[in-house]
Amino acid sequence: QTQMLPKKVETFAGQRVVAVAAGGQHSLALTADGAVWSWGAGADGRLGHGDDQTQMLPKKVETFAGQRLVAVSAGHYYSLALTADGAFTGALDSMASF
């Protein structure tokens, strides 16, 4: 469903979003507690949920449970996350995913 005007994302009510990243057809959000949320087109596993499902609303990426993330990046076919200890997950390949 196309959203023509800005709309508050209710999923984040009561949370502080500290960073966002937008890919070609998906988005990522990083919350103050170090969690990553993703939504949009799930092709090639780019949302990090272990499947290719499209998510219409932000869904927490459980792959990172127990890790504190400090940055996220998204491109047309990829998603990247940086952990507090300096480790990257993902890749800069045109078909990369979490």
Side-chain angles (χ1 to χ4, degrees):
Q1 172 181 2
T2 302
Q3 180 66 43
M4 300 300 286
L5 297 170
K7 182 178 178 183
K8 183 177 181 178
V9 180
E10 297 297 332
T11 303
F12 298 118
Q15 297 187 64
R16 189 166 66 100
V17 175
V18 297
V20 295
Q25 297 179 353
H26 71 294
S27 299
L28 306 173
L30 177 64
T31 53
D33 63 356
V36 173
W37 300 71
S38 65
W39 65 102
D44 305 312
R46 73 186 71 156
L47 298 181
H49 302 295
D51 58 33
D52 289 343
Q53 297 295 310
T54 293
Q55 297 292 325
M56 297 305 292
L57 297 171
K59 181 178 177 181
K60 189 174 185 178
V61 180
E62 299 297 338
T63 304
F64 303 118
Q67 298 182 58
R68 178 159 172 71
L69 300 175
V70 297
V72 291
S73 178
H76 193 72
Y77 292 110
Y78 70 85
S79 297
L80 296 171
L82 177 65
T83 64
D85 64 3
F88 263 108
T89 184
L92 293 172
D93 186 295
S94 65
M95 296 300 283
S97 61
F98 281 121

